Amino acid sequence: LNPRIRHSGFAALVTSAEDAAAMIGNGATVGMSGFTGSGYPKAVPTALAARAEAEHAEGRPFRVRVLTGASTGPELDGVLARADAIEFRTPFNTDPFLRDRINKGETDYVDMHLSQLAPMVWGGIYGDLDVAVVEISGITENGQLIPSASIGNNKTWLDRADRIILEVNSWQSAELEGMHDVYYGTRLPPNRVPIPLIRPDDRIGQPYFDVDFSKVVAVVETDAPDRNAPFTPPDENARLIAGHLIEFLEHEVKRGRLPRSLLPIQSGVGNVPNAVMTGLCDAPFDPMTAYTEVVQDGMLDMLDAGALRLASATAFSLSTDAAERFNSNAGAYRGKLILRPQEISNHPELVRRLGVIAMNGLIEADIYGNVNSTHVMGSRIQNGIGGSGDFARNSFMSIFLTPSTAKGGKISAIVPMAAHVDHISQDVQVIVTEQGLADLRGLAPKKRAAALIQNCAHPSYRPLLEDYFARAMRDSWGLHAPRILPEALSWHQRYIETGSMMP
Amino acid sequence: LNPRIRHSGFAALVTSAEDAAAMIGNGATVGMSGFTGSGYPKAVPTALAARAEAEHAEGRPFRVRVLTGASTGPELDGVLARADAIEFRTPFNTDPFLRDRINKGETDYVDMHLSQLAPMVWGGIYGDLDVAVVEISGITENGQLIPSASIGNNKTWLDRADRIILEVNSWQSAELEGMHDVYYGTRLPPNRVPIPLIRPDDRIGQPYFDVDFSKVVAVVETDAPDRNAPFTPPDENARLIAGHLIEFLEHEVKRGRLPRSLLPIQSGVGNVPNAVMTGLCDAPFDPMTAYTEVVQDGMLDMLDAGALRLASATAFSLSTDAAERFNSNAGAYRGKLILRPQEISNHPELVRRLGVIAMNGLIEADIYGNVNSTHVMGSRIQNGIGGSGDFARNSFMSIFLTPSTAKGGKISAIVPMAAHVDHISQDVQVIVTEQGLADLRGLAPKKRAAALIQNCAHPSYRPLLEDYFARAMRDSWGLHAPRILPEALSWHQRYIETGSMMP
Ligand SMILES: CC(C)(COP(=O)(O)OP(=O)(O)OC[C@H]1O[C@@H](n2cnc3c(N)ncnc32)[C@H](O)[C@@H]1OP(=O)(O)O)[C@@H](O)C(=O)NCCC(=O)NCCS
Ligand SMILES: CC(C)(COP(=O)(O)OP(=O)(O)OC[C@H]1O[C@@H](n2cnc3c(N)ncnc32)[C@H](O)[C@@H]1OP(=O)(O)O)[C@@H](O)C(=O)NCCC(=O)NCCS
């Protein structure tokens, strides 16, 4: 008897991953759990991939439409992409095999604001949800579900799917029970009401998912770890970026524009934001809060150091080491961690109300501060916009962090024109590179350009940007936001042709 | 005795516009009323422009920093721009003289989300506000101010400015009294609370502005009409656009995805959105509501026709004819019109909660549905993003409306790549031209492109777009969002060089 399954009805549904996967048909729309490599189902997608491969070997088509919380792990996106079993994918991906399928034009990918998928599914935009495949950490005596290491869109998948497959993962800490806050008050308009959350600490829901037992068709037992890519240890650039940012925040506190405990912080996934969290451990602020998507290693460090007193998120995003550390002592984080559905963790209403300080990575910024977070050279997707738009547009202050170059200096992160735009200049208030920080608030375009080129560009690209900008000031058709169209994207084209943006 | 000034303290401050203008120094930051040509001060800016010209004639510098609600009229932006008296301008402009200064690089212009200026000024981003110059329609017995035909950011200007100059405009209908709802519950974080508005009808504030009498330095009497540009009468294209849109909305109602009274509508300023309102007068929906920025002629028609039962906005934006019509019968609109501060009319929290159907114009859309609303050929500003970002990002459905060509067919509104992006593809769900409608919801980039080229492009540009897209599918570096960089902006460059995008 599995102690995680405390309800006999559910226990009677225990079956193998293969039998569960057999319940998912070709062409099905499947809502799966998972958010940045945590809490995603592991056994059923793997069995589904095997099934797809078997079908393909027989010359039969087999592909499904996959909706998740955000990115997942190799046993979901990885195996399914390798088996060419994903026809359509939304809202976010970081898996390299799936990325490759997307960039070869083999899989349709809709890169979405993470707060918007649940309401759009409720609104019928993605059609019927045939099956939900959701990892949980247990089932209570009265048949409620204990969420796993991420909540994501699971409430929506459970409510909307015709049939439900559960994976009960014993690897997840039993101490997760009680850390979740599942809000059941969302509605479609015209029936929406204010979301009653005014501090990151507030609990407005319940610790469990409700589920209609009659829809549950299979329960699969697993005992497999979440797989998050390890973070690279903070390098010199990351330390410099963290330093510039913390100096700036201190200055804002001194000027009375931020409280001594700052405002709730949001930190994107990625190596640089993670390094900033580590830097914030020793920063001279009062204990902070986080209202964010994911708790990554750096935030766990901050909680441990007392620099952070509470983190609200929708998922863990921990390296294997940090996950082990958390699992071995999860009880210690009780009262300091709250996981919520992603339409709440990322809700524009709440991000604006709380006055979140948003900190995200970027691919490139143009000289006016328009940010490309997603499309390398304008056509190849890296990951997706994720929650960065939910946060950047509605935050109290929207900060983007990046090394000033990529690919060993072959690419400048500051370019004449972004080859794709995810965050318009209005939503980009501060940009930080290892070179320095540009505070763009209240500046008109040409002053933004001067600040960005001067403070953020790498010295090897700065003269090129200065030259371009000076000529644009002279030759541009309009002088509000001067631009030389035939040259604006030439750096990207040069990279495609020569492997470097440098002439 | 002016019956609009029912308080003797204020009456004692009545002075000439010239004397009031003399209280504004060179370099001052001035918060002025005004939102799309209604409720802006008329006498003081005109006197200020004369003063600037006199100073310039003496060889002395004289320029001010002007913050408003949105665009204003010729007696504000027009006169000041002609006098070269505006050093810095935010958040929105439509005046041709000022536009010219901006595009020549002579005036700094920060094009902002209209919901964000008030909180940013509270947050200290634009420095101290030296003077407020606010048009009102009267002063009550107990010294409260009766707002004029727009509210905009006036509450913030009155609260934050060191000194206050009032223009009491008797041309404005006395019946405006009671139509306003000024919410005093906004705060800076961490002290923000839910905004208690759940229907467009809700009144959550008070009909008057509070004002600190000791800050008022002058009261100027005026009797001058608001000046809005007339709308062009709906042409065949506008009628076709309205037809496609209404057919689509009917279809959404039939499928049960929209209520029979739709959801609160927002309509941008501009000729095409105005024509759609006229079309909605006879559409087969139950009486609707509007939660929008401005009440333009078309909405007045809808109210008159009973197609709209209530409109919530921050300003009127009426042609001279419609303004006369409104003024002669303003009492009839009591209970049907509510004017609010623009941080409430455009608040992301409320736009999302109410599930607004956003309808805005555009300059151009690229084949993936990224929208440029502001920068003609990427460098010359037309107007600004205005409230379109507040609405498009947070709406239930974000619709953009445009003729498929501009400048007599010399310009295609559907282009390979937008020369500037204001609305990313995630925020653009439906595009309508006279050619047809593209429902982009749930579509991956290449399917969006196919729909847009097929349904929305003009037949004279369609083959060029098809050809570009076919070659991009073959030659692009990545095939997620195929793009040929050296060609992507060539249509714009051709227009600059030859006066036409057509090869
Ligand atoms: C932009 C983003 C990719 C940066 O990630 P990061 O881990 O902080 O930064 P890295 O420098 O390690 O870059 C990640 C990859 O992007 C590549 N990259 C970064 N900038 C690049 C550029 N200008 N051109 C090409 N590639 C670039 C890096 O080379 C690296 O690729 P590799 O893995 O092949 O070496 C990441 O922040 C992201 O996906 N953001 C969008 C979603 C988001 O913001 N989510 C958080 C919201 S809650
Ligand atoms: C985009 C916008 C300019 C369109 O305005 P409109 O009145 O509906 O449409 P029009 O076709 O009359 O175009 C207005 C002007 O833009 C020009 N224009 C439109 N598309 C163009 C294009 N692709 N290239 C160049 N010029 C273009 C028109 O030629 C016209 O110029 P003119 O006055 O010199 O003749 C207008 O909607 C806008 O400013 N939008 C941004 C702000 C906004 O959305 N506000 C509402 C939010 S609440």
Side-chain angles (χ1 to χ4, degrees):
Chain A
L1 217 75
N2 185 334
R4 298 289 184 110
I5 307 178
R6 304 183 220 142
H7 181 285
S8 59
F10 285 87
L13 293 172
V14 168
T15 181
S16 71
E18 291 67 31
D19 286 352
M23 299 172 185
I24 301 172
N26 176 38
T29 299
V30 190
M32 301 214 195
S33 64
F35 199 106
T36 62
S38 71
Y40 58 94
K42 294 151 183 93
V44 176
T46 303
L48 192 65
R51 190 172 153 215
E53 276 168 350
E55 294 286 307
H56 296 165
E58 304 278 330
R60 286 191 293 265
F62 194 95
R63 296 178 102 200
V64 293
R65 295 164 52 87
V66 179
L67 285 60
T68 59
S71 57
T72 67
E75 309 94 324
L76 197 169
D77 281 314
V79 289
L80 287 173
R82 274 191 277 187
D84 195 11
I86 305 184
E87 176 193 328
F88 174 94
R89 182 75 173 85
T90 199
F92 191 73
N93 170 66
T94 60
D95 182 82
F97 296 98
L98 180 54
R99 180 187 297 141
D100 199 48
R101 292 264 181 217
I102 294 167
N103 286 323
K104 285 186 172 141
E106 296 164 355
T107 289
D108 266 0
Y109 175 53
V110 178
D111 168 19
M112 283 191 67
H113 296 305
L114 296 184
S115 78
Q116 296 188 347
L117 182 54
M120 286 208 182
V121 166
W122 281 100
I125 303 307
Y126 286 92
D128 290 335
L129 203 62
D130 299 302
V131 190
V133 183
V134 173
E135 179 181 286
I136 52 177
S137 65
I139 300 169
T140 67
E141 291 76 3
N142 58 1
Q144 286 181 304
L145 310 182
I146 309 168
S148 179
S150 68
I151 294 200
N153 287 315
N154 294 346
K155 170 186 155 291
T156 295
W157 302 164
L158 294 168
D159 286 348
R160 297 284 304 182
D162 294 337
R163 284 170 304 148
I164 295 168
I165 296 170
L166 299 172
E167 286 197 9
V168 182
N169 186 350
S170 313
W171 177 85
Q172 300 289 0
S173 169
E175 302 270 4
L176 284 175
E177 186 171 356
M179 280 195 189
H180 309 92
D181 187 56
V182 186
Y183 178 62
Y184 273 88
T186 56
R187 299 280 177 274
L188 285 177
N191 299 313
R192 287 189 182 142
V193 294
I195 300 168
L197 184 148
I198 58 172
R199 280 184 318 261
D201 320 55
D202 291 344
R203 293 188 153 270
I204 59 174
Q206 57 187 56
Y208 309 118
F209 296 123
D210 293 330
V211 65
D212 175 354
F213 178 73
S214 71
K215 298 201 299 184
V216 181
V217 293
V219 175
V220 176
E221 297 169 303
T222 67
D223 186 21
D226 277 335
R227 289 233 220 125
N228 268 301
F231 292 98
T232 56
D235 62 3
E236 181 58 13
N237 274 348
R239 266 190 295 269
L240 286 167
I241 291 171
H244 298 312
L245 177 64
I246 290 164
E247 190 190 323
F248 166 78
L249 293 172
E250 280 184 55
H251 182 252
E252 289 293 299
V253 171
K254 276 208 200 88
R255 292 194 55 176
R257 300 206 287 207
L258 278 178
R260 287 202 55 82
S261 58
L262 303 187
L263 286 166
I265 57 173
Q266 175 262 334
S267 167
V269 203
N271 294 315
V272 172
N274 191 57
V276 168
M277 297 300 105
T278 305
L280 281 171
C281 284
D282 327 301
F285 305 120
D286 288 352
M288 294 168 236
T289 58
Y291 196 82
T292 189
E293 260 182 31
V294 292
V295 174
Q296 69 277 65
D297 292 21
M299 275 201 183
L300 217 57
D301 294 342
M302 285 180 74
L303 284 168
D304 292 346
L308 198 66
R309 64 171 186 76
L310 179 113
S312 164
T314 191
F316 288 98
S317 184
L318 300 174
S319 66
T320 310
D321 285 358
E324 297 294 352
R325 197 171 106 212
F326 172 79
N327 275 358
S328 67
N329 196 19
Y333 296 94
R334 193 163 296 279
K336 295 185 184 179
L337 279 171
I338 304 178
L339 297 188
R340 312 178 188 275
Q342 73 193 68
E343 77 259 36
I344 298 299
S345 66
N346 286 28
H347 202 299
E349 170 175 341
L350 305 178
V351 173
R352 178 94 161 215
R353 180 179 305 148
L354 296 172
V356 168
I357 299 178
M359 298 182 277
N360 291 293
L362 56 72
I363 297 276
E364 64 186 6
D366 75 15
I367 54 173
Y368 300 118
N370 297 289
V371 162
N372 174 5
S373 295
T374 54
H375 287 62
V376 177
M377 307 303 141
S379 59
R380 279 197 198 163
I381 193 99
Q382 180 71 16
N383 302 320
I385 194 167
S388 57
D390 292 323
F391 285 98
R393 171 75 50 96
N394 299 295
S395 64
F396 184 74
M397 198 190 293
S398 168
I399 302 170
F400 285 87
L401 314 164
T402 181
S404 67
T405 60
K407 304 289 177 207
K410 306 271 194 222
I411 292 177
S412 175
I414 314 293
V415 289
M417 179 173 181
H420 174 92
V421 174
D422 293 284
H423 304 289
I424 64 174
S425 59
Q426 285 87 343
D427 302 336
V428 179
Q429 279 124 24
V430 175
I431 294 185
V432 198
T433 70
E434 80 288 352
Q435 300 296 320
L437 180 147
D439 178 0
L440 306 171
R441 294 173 297 172
L443 299 186
K446 292 183 286 293
K447 298 216 162 72
R448 291 171 70 96
L452 262 168
I453 294 172
Q454 189 54 43
N455 300 358
C456 295
H458 191 274
S460 58
Y461 287 99
R462 195 179 296 145
L464 297 170
L465 289 165
E466 282 166 349
D467 171 60
Y468 167 83
F469 186 54
R471 286 182 295 108
M473 294 279 278
R474 196 186 63 202
D475 299 335
S476 174
W477 196 59
L479 292 178
H480 171 59
R483 186 163 276 174
I484 305 175
L485 293 175
E487 208 178 309
L489 299 170
S490 63
W491 296 25
H492 300 85
Q493 185 61 20
R494 194 182 301 132
Y495 176 80
I496 292 175
E497 287 168 9
T498 71
S500 172
M501 282 188 172
M502 195 59 85
Chain B
L1 218 78
N2 185 336
R4 297 290 185 108
I5 306 179
R6 303 183 220 144
H7 182 285
S8 58
F10 285 89
L13 293 172
V14 169
T15 181
S16 71
E18 291 65 31
D19 286 352
M23 299 172 185
I24 301 172
N26 177 38
T29 298
V30 190
M32 301 214 194
S33 63
F35 199 107
T36 62
S38 71
Y40 58 95
K42 294 152 183 91
V44 176
T46 304
L48 192 64
R51 187 169 158 219
E53 276 168 352
E55 293 287 306
H56 296 167
E58 305 278 330
R60 286 191 294 266
F62 194 95
R63 295 178 102 201
V64 293
R65 296 164 52 86
V66 179
L67 284 60
T68 59
S71 56
T72 67
E75 308 93 326
L76 197 168
D77 281 314
V79 289
L80 287 172
R82 274 191 278 186
D84 196 11
I86 305 184
E87 175 192 330
F88 174 94
R89 183 76 174 84
T90 198
F92 190 72
N93 170 64
T94 60
D95 182 82
F97 295 98
L98 180 54
R99 180 188 296 141
D100 199 48
R101 291 263 181 220
I102 295 166
N103 286 323
K104 284 186 173 140
E106 297 164 356
T107 290
D108 266 359
Y109 176 53
V110 178
D111 167 21
M112 284 192 66
H113 297 305
L114 296 184
S115 78
Q116 294 188 348
L117 182 55
M120 286 207 182
V121 167
W122 282 99
I125 302 309
Y126 287 92
D128 289 334
L129 202 62
D130 300 302
V131 191
V133 184
V134 174
E135 178 181 287
I136 52 177
S137 64
I139 300 170
T140 67
E141 290 75 3
N142 56 1
Q144 286 183 304
L145 310 182
I146 309 169
S148 177
S150 67
I151 294 200
N153 286 315
N154 294 345
K155 170 186 155 290
T156 295
W157 301 165
L158 294 167
D159 285 348
R160 297 284 304 183
D162 294 336
R163 283 171 304 148
I164 296 168
I165 296 170
L166 299 172
E167 285 197 9
V168 181
N169 187 349
S170 311
W171 177 84
Q172 299 290 358
S173 169
E175 303 270 3
L176 283 176
E177 187 172 354
M179 280 193 189
H180 309 93
D181 186 56
V182 186
Y183 178 62
Y184 272 87
T186 56
R187 299 279 177 277
L188 284 178
N191 300 315
R192 289 190 181 141
V193 294
I195 300 168
L197 184 149
I198 58 172
R199 283 184 317 261
D201 321 53
D202 290 345
R203 292 188 155 270
I204 58 174
Q206 57 186 56
Y208 308 117
F209 296 123
D210 293 330
V211 66
D212 176 352
F213 178 73
S214 71
K215 297 201 301 183
V216 180
V217 292
V219 175
V220 175
E221 295 169 303
T222 67
D223 186 21
D226 276 337
R227 288 231 222 129
N228 269 300
F231 292 98
T232 56
D235 63 2
E236 181 58 14
N237 274 350
R239 267 191 295 270
L240 286 167
I241 291 171
H244 298 312
L245 177 64
I246 290 165
E247 191 189 322
F248 167 77
L249 293 172
E250 280 184 56
H251 181 253
E252 289 294 299
V253 171
K254 277 209 197 85
R255 292 194 56 176
R257 299 206 287 207
L258 278 179
R260 286 201 56 81
S261 57
L262 305 185
L263 287 166
I265 57 172
Q266 175 262 335
S267 167
V269 203
N271 293 315
V272 171
N274 191 55
V276 168
M277 296 301 105
T278 305
L280 280 171
C281 285
D282 327 300
F285 305 120
D286 288 352
M288 296 168 235
T289 59
Y291 196 82
T292 189
E293 260 183 31
V294 293
V295 173
Q296 70 278 68
D297 293 21
M299 274 200 185
L300 217 56
D301 294 343
M302 285 181 73
L303 284 168
D304 292 344
L308 197 67
R309 65 171 184 77
L310 180 114
S312 163
T314 192
F316 288 98
S317 184
L318 299 175
S319 66
T320 310
D321 284 358
E324 297 295 351
R325 197 172 105 212
F326 172 79
N327 275 359
S328 67
N329 195 20
Y333 296 95
R334 195 164 292 281
K336 294 184 183 179
L337 279 172
I338 304 177
L339 297 188
R340 312 176 188 275
Q342 73 193 65
E343 78 259 36
I344 298 299
S345 65
N346 287 28
H347 202 299
E349 170 175 342
L350 304 178
V351 174
R352 178 93 161 218
R353 180 179 306 148
L354 296 171
V356 168
I357 300 178
M359 297 183 278
N360 291 293
L362 56 72
I363 297 276
E364 63 186 6
D366 75 14
I367 55 173
Y368 300 118
N370 297 289
V371 162
N372 174 6
S373 295
T374 54
H375 287 60
V376 176
M377 307 303 142
S379 58
R380 280 196 199 165
I381 193 95
Q382 179 70 20
N383 302 319
I385 194 167
S388 57
D390 292 322
F391 285 99
R393 172 73 50 95
N394 299 296
S395 64
F396 185 73
M397 199 190 291
S398 168
I399 301 170
F400 285 86
L401 314 165
T402 181
S404 68
T405 61
K407 304 288 177 206
K410 305 274 194 223
I411 293 177
S412 175
I414 314 294
V415 290
M417 178 171 182
H420 174 91
V421 174
D422 293 282
H423 304 290
I424 64 173
S425 60
Q426 284 87 343
D427 302 335
V428 179
Q429 278 124 24
V430 175
I431 294 185
V432 197
T433 70
E434 81 288 352
Q435 300 296 320
L437 180 147
D439 178 1
L440 306 171
R441 293 173 298 172
L443 299 186
K446 292 184 285 293
K447 297 214 164 71
R448 292 171 71 95
L452 262 169
I453 296 172
Q454 188 56 43
N455 301 359
C456 295
H458 191 274
S460 58
Y461 287 99
R462 195 179 296 143
L464 297 171
L465 288 164
E466 281 166 351
D467 171 60
Y468 167 83
F469 186 53
R471 286 182 294 107
M473 295 278 278
R474 195 186 65 202
D475 299 335
S476 173
W477 197 59
L479 292 178
H480 171 59
R483 184 163 277 174
I484 304 175
L485 292 175
E487 209 178 309
L489 299 170
S490 62
W491 295 26
H492 300 85
Q493 185 61 21
R494 194 182 302 132
Y495 175 80
I496 292 174
E497 287 167 11
T498 72
S500 172
M501 283 189 171
M502 195 60 84

